[in-house]
Amino acid sequence: MGNADRAAPAAAPRRTPAPFRRVLLVGFMGSGKSTVGAHLASRLGWPFLDFDEEIERRAGLSVAEIFRTRGEAAFRALESEVASELLRAEPAVLASGGGWAAREGRLEGLGPETLSVWLRVSASAALERAAGDPQARPLLQGSDAEARATRLVNERERYYQRARLHLDGENASPDALAETILRHLERTNPDVAGR
Ligand code: S3P
């Protein structure tokens, strides 16, 4: 039997992954989720939605005021409610608050249409960035802020790691991070190429 007669093995069907319809940024306080998210959204021409901003709008109070007057548990309840609604928007770029992803089931529960991105930052960089706006982050205030930030980063990293894409949020600029996410999206979303 000549080579020509031999049936070529059937090529495995190539499955192109479905395009993403949403990008969700997660990571510790000060990792740049909101800044990178806003850059990315404007490059994509997609709406940008920020969990904390929506929480503040609904409560008519700042995050710090919610913590102070209603307590963290009330903030977390509002955060869950806002997140489940915002995570239905598409297309959209979303910035979560630093604590939202740090719970069992949160990132694992996202469907295939959501690209989750972890912007990784150390506790010391987070504290340094938070120092510019000391009122904004109640969990990074007080004399034990350093110890608390280190503990929270350590506790939360195992959850953040469940994001699909991990990026260095400490040394890269917001523009460069948005660009990396865009290039990543291009593989699944051909319409994104060239933006
Ligand atoms: C929090 C992070 C904050 C805000 C709240 C609690 C946290 O958002 O949601 O202060 O638990 O890490 P940013 O990550 O945008 O600062």
Side-chain angles (χ1 to χ4, degrees):
M1 188 167 73
N3 273 347
D5 300 326
R6 220 172 269 148
R14 272 182 64 163
R15 298 234 324 252
T16 313
F20 289 110
R21 302 297 300 148
R22 201 177 287 123
V23 177
L24 171 69
L25 298 164
V26 304
F28 200 63
M29 292 171 264
S31 56
K33 302 178 293 289
S34 303
T35 317
V36 174
H39 277 272
L40 179 65
S42 90
R43 294 280 298 275
L44 284 166
W46 290 4
F48 172 60
L49 305 167
D50 184 293
F51 288 14
D52 282 346
E53 261 179 33
E54 183 57 20
I55 292 168
E56 292 185 333
R57 200 185 60 77
R58 290 189 190 189
L61 296 169
S62 69
V63 168
E65 283 166 337
I66 302 172
F67 268 74
R68 200 176 57 244
T69 60
R70 300 187 188 170
E72 180 169 352
F75 172 81
R76 296 296 172 202
L78 198 49
E79 183 180 47
S80 296
E81 192 183 301
V82 162
S84 18
E85 281 180 42
L86 296 190
L87 280 164
R88 285 190 216 127
E90 64 166 60
V93 177
L94 303 143
S96 61
W100 179 82
R103 275 232 208 143
E104 214 52 61
R106 289 261 158 102
L107 292 183
E108 307 89 295
L110 299 171
E113 66 290 346
T114 304
L115 172 63
S116 49
V117 181
W118 174 25
L119 301 181
R120 188 177 191 161
V121 76
S122 65
S124 56
L127 283 163
E128 214 171 280
R129 292 178 182 183
D133 190 1
Q135 300 313 313
R137 295 190 173 96
L139 293 178
L140 295 184
Q141 284 185 42
S143 53
D144 57 346
E146 206 173 320
R148 194 176 319 114
T150 306
R151 179 176 55 76
L152 285 174
V153 165
N154 289 337
E155 282 171 10
R156 290 175 175 183
E157 289 208 331
R158 72 189 180 96
Y159 297 102
Y160 296 148
Q161 270 167 10
R162 298 174 191 174
R164 287 168 181 256
L165 185 62
H166 300 179
L167 300 177
D168 174 2
E170 193 158 328
N171 299 299
S173 70
D175 257 341
L177 289 164
E179 180 70 25
T180 305
I181 300 169
L182 211 53
R183 301 286 78 88
H184 185 87
L185 271 178
E186 261 179 18
R187 301 181 204 165
T188 44
N189 295 43
D191 53 319
V192 161
R195 293 202 192 171

